[in-house]
Amino acid sequence: MSYLSTFEGQEDAPLAWLLSNDCVADTPGMRLKVYILSEADSLTKLNEMFNLGGRLKDAHITASFEGIRELWYHLFGLSGSDLTANDKVYVDKMKCVFVYEMRSTHGSEPDLDVKLHIPMWQLDKSDGQLSEVMASWFESHGHPDLAARYKSDLNKAFPKHGITENMGVGTHTWMSITHTPKTGLYMTMYLSPKLPEVYY
């Protein structure tokens, strides 16, 4: 039985949102990606979806989730010593995107990576506040220079977004995080301009 079939008939069932592939047949390393939109308003729910109910058990899947756990605690100001933290709901009904990427491996089992996308605009924080959260994240991961300039750099890039005044929302759109054997743990932040600001 597939993991998604266990949600059959439920209102909060995960949704197969997007499908993408490289469109190059018989090419080593060609990728197929499945994007699943799923409710993930607690770390317990997130973990279940990330590893498909325990079906994904590779070492890098485990490493990815450990990075996600640390980031989750950081985003919501939690303590790792709080044994109930995994089950707490922080943004009611928040939905994340889980990207399952499969690569061709010449007839053997395909390589499979999972990437989590968190909707930053739903975290009830301004872009300025998110900038401060991310700056402290960079600082804790050994990037003090980036931490020191992150908020001011964003303000220079988006001068009309009210970032330094902690007023604007929506510049930070999605944050993705994953772990692969090749890259280790890495995070990507997706930023969005306000289109009238660009064109007028």
Side-chain angles (χ1 to χ4, degrees):
M1 176 184 292
S2 73
Y3 178 65
L4 294 184
S5 68
T6 64
F7 291 87
E8 188 172 348
Q10 297 183 28
E11 291 185 2
D12 61 348
L15 174 67
W17 203 34
L18 292 170
L19 177 68
S20 70
N21 73 327
D22 288 337
C23 296
V24 183
D26 300 323
T27 300
M30 68 173 294
R31 300 170 300 169
L32 173 68
K33 295 182 181 181
V34 180
Y35 294 71
I36 302 293
L37 181 66
S38 179
E39 186 176 302
D41 50 15
S42 73
L43 196 59
T44 297
K45 289 181 183 178
L46 194 154
N47 186 30
E48 278 286 306
M49 192 68 213
F50 193 82
N51 62 31
L52 298 179
R55 290 164 174 79
L56 303 180
K57 301 177 181 179
D58 289 350
H60 70 276
I61 296 292
T62 301
S64 283
F65 190 74
E66 285 306 309
I68 289 169
R69 183 195 305 275
E70 182 185 355
L71 175 63
W72 184 272
Y73 285 174
H74 185 82
L75 284 177
F76 295 104
L78 304 174
S79 169
S81 62
D82 181 358
L83 298 180
T84 67
N86 290 0
D87 298 315
K88 290 180 180 177
V89 176
Y90 299 98
V91 183
D92 189 34
K93 303 299 182 182
M94 182 178 78
K95 292 190 175 182
C96 293
V97 175
F98 298 80
V99 183
Y100 303 89
E101 178 181 310
M102 292 156 278
R103 291 178 180 269
S104 171
T105 52
H106 302 288
S108 62
E109 287 294 318
D111 287 336
L112 195 151
D113 295 321
V114 186
K115 184 180 292 186
L116 171 70
H117 292 255
I118 300 173
M120 301 299 285
W121 76 93
Q122 292 186 9
L123 300 188
D124 198 28
K125 297 180 186 296
S126 70
D127 283 310
Q129 291 170 322
L130 288 173
S131 297
E132 293 165 4
V133 169
M134 294 314 302
S136 61
W137 170 259
F138 297 140
E139 180 78 34
S140 68
H141 283 75
H143 302 287
D145 292 341
L146 178 57
R149 70 174 199 267
Y150 183 73
K151 188 173 184 178
S152 61
D153 282 357
L154 275 189
N155 191 61
K156 290 177 183 177
F158 305 103
K160 298 182 181 180
H161 289 203
I163 291 173
T164 55
E165 296 84 6
N166 290 343
M167 295 174 59
V169 177
T171 305
H172 295 85
T173 56
W174 296 92
M175 177 201 295
S176 69
I177 185 168
T178 191
H179 182 286
T180 69
K182 181 178 179 180
T183 64
L185 185 69
Y186 72 92
M187 181 271 287
T188 303
M189 182 68 75
Y190 296 83
L191 305 171
S192 176
K194 298 178 181 179
L195 293 183
E197 177 180 313
V198 175
Y199 293 106
Y200 301 102

